């Protein structure tokens, strides 16, 4: 049972525009959410996170929004750059456990 | 470079065989995690060790086992391999075993480059 879902396998955006990656989850006990970025032939790297007590967290060009009632989070990248082209995974955890549930990833292509 | 190393990078073997994947965590990290990524799937959590002890278990098959050694490196053993076991296997490490508040140091997981296993 996939508790974290990324329904868009791919997204193509023009350089300089906004990229919006979406993620849905089913388990209301999740209280911490993370985004990871993965380049080919490398492992995922941490990008940004958000606790369930917040609805927004910003770090430079990256902002994560959390809508608990809809069990939905999104990652906004503004402005998008060609170097942002990668696969983005959202992940969720609950309690103080480090057991992450990952989505299947969205491949972002930022066109120059 | 995350500081987490995994060997081998690629492994091709036949059904029914047994293989061992190895992971060395970042210096100072006590927790090791194993994940499986099959084609078009997200990363599936398999198992976590903290300072030599099993801490959390995910969807790990009985044919799979893992351990963490006193020097903190970990091995994932896959036996009676089936075609469906073909996947990327990632190891990750973190300082702690759980998340304490907003302190990223405790929970941030650093991933290795993965081992690609192909079962023919």
């Amino acid at each position: 049972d996939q508790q974290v879902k990324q329904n868009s396998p791919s997204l193509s955006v023009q350089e300089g525009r906004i990229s919006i990656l979406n993620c849905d989850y089913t388990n209301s006990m999740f209280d911490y959410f993370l985004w990871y970025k993965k380049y080919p032939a490398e492992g995922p790297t941490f990008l940004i996170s958000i606790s369930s007590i917040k609805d927004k967290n910003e770090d430079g060009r990256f902002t994560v929004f959390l809508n608990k009632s809809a069990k939905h989070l999104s990652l906004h990248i503004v402005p998008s750059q060609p170097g942002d082209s990668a696969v983005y995974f959202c992940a969720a955890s609950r309690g103080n456990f480090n057991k992450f549930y990952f989505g299947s990833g969205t491949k972002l292509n930022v066109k120059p | 470079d995350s500081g987490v190393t995994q060997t081998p990078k690629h492994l091709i073997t036949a059904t029914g065989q047994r293989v061992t994947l190895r992971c060395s965590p970042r210096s100072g990290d006590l927790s090791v995690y194993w994940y499986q990524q099959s084609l078009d799937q997200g990363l599936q959590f398999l198992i976590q060790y903290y300072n030599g002890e099993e801490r959390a278990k995910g969807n790990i098959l009985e044919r799979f086992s893992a351990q963490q050694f006193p020097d903190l490196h970990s091995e994932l053993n896959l036996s009676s391999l089936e075609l469906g076991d073909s996947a990327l296997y990632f190891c990750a490490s973190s300082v702690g075993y759980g998340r304490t508040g907003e302190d990223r140091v405790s929970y941030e997981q650093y991933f290795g480059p993965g081992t690609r296993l192909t079962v023919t």
Side-chain angles (χ1 to χ4, degrees):
Chain A
D1 179 28
Q2 197 75 7
Q3 298 188 53
V4 177
K5 296 179 185 178
Q6 293 175 259
N7 293 319
S8 298
S10 63
L11 175 68
S12 190
V13 169
Q14 204 66 39
E15 180 180 5
R17 305 295 290 268
I18 184 171
S19 295
I20 300 176
L21 297 98
N22 294 305
C23 179
D24 297 294
Y25 61 95
T26 57
N27 191 336
S28 58
M29 299 296 289
F30 287 147
D31 60 357
Y32 213 86
F33 305 89
L34 309 93
W35 284 94
Y36 276 79
K37 176 178 177 179
K38 184 184 178 305
Y39 292 116
E42 294 182 12
T45 54
F46 173 83
L47 192 57
I48 193 170
S49 65
I50 187 167
S51 163
S52 61
I53 62 172
K54 297 181 179 176
D55 53 20
K56 177 181 172 182
N57 189 26
E58 206 168 338
D59 184 1
R61 296 185 297 112
F62 302 91
T63 303
V64 56
F65 294 92
L66 176 62
N67 182 335
K68 290 186 290 292
S69 60
K71 296 193 184 69
H72 177 84
L73 66 155
S74 61
L75 174 68
H76 292 210
I77 307 173
V78 183
S80 301
Q81 299 173 354
D84 296 329
S85 297
V87 177
Y88 290 78
F89 292 96
C90 67
S93 70
R94 62 184 182 90
N96 70 339
F97 300 106
N98 253 0
K99 183 175 172 179
F100 290 177
Y101 296 84
F102 279 84
S104 54
T106 296
K107 186 173 184 178
L108 174 66
N109 179 33
V110 180
K111 296 177 285 188
Chain B
D1 184 0
S2 66
V4 178
T5 60
Q6 288 187 249
T7 55
K9 281 190 175 177
H10 302 277
L11 197 49
I12 301 174
T13 189
T15 54
Q17 295 298 305
R18 172 190 169 95
V19 297
T20 297
L21 313 184
R22 184 188 168 104
C23 168
S24 292
R26 285 189 327 154
S27 177
D29 284 358
L30 298 179
S31 263
V32 169
Y33 311 78
W34 285 98
Y35 291 87
Q36 178 193 57
Q37 184 185 17
S38 301
L39 192 64
D40 295 332
Q41 299 288 314
L43 286 82
Q44 299 291 322
F45 171 77
L46 295 178
I47 198 163
Q48 176 198 4
Y49 280 84
Y50 174 76
N51 205 19
E53 291 188 8
E54 183 184 304
R55 276 288 176 171
K57 218 167 185 175
N59 298 327
I60 187 166
L61 299 172
E62 284 191 17
R63 301 183 285 110
F64 296 1
S65 65
Q67 58 183 134
Q68 186 179 27
F69 294 87
D71 67 352
L72 301 176
H73 92 271
S74 177
E75 292 180 357
L76 178 68
N77 300 297
L78 315 176
S79 62
S80 303
L81 284 167
E82 301 175 0
L83 295 177
D85 297 328
S86 295
L88 259 175
Y89 290 84
F90 288 103
C91 166
S93 72
S94 69
V95 171
Y97 66 82
R99 167 167 53 85
T100 52
E102 304 261 335
D103 180 12
R104 271 178 57 181
V105 173
S106 68
Y107 67 80
E108 184 171 342
Q109 295 183 20
Y110 294 83
F111 282 79
T115 292
R116 181 170 292 282
L117 173 66
T118 302
V119 182
T120 61

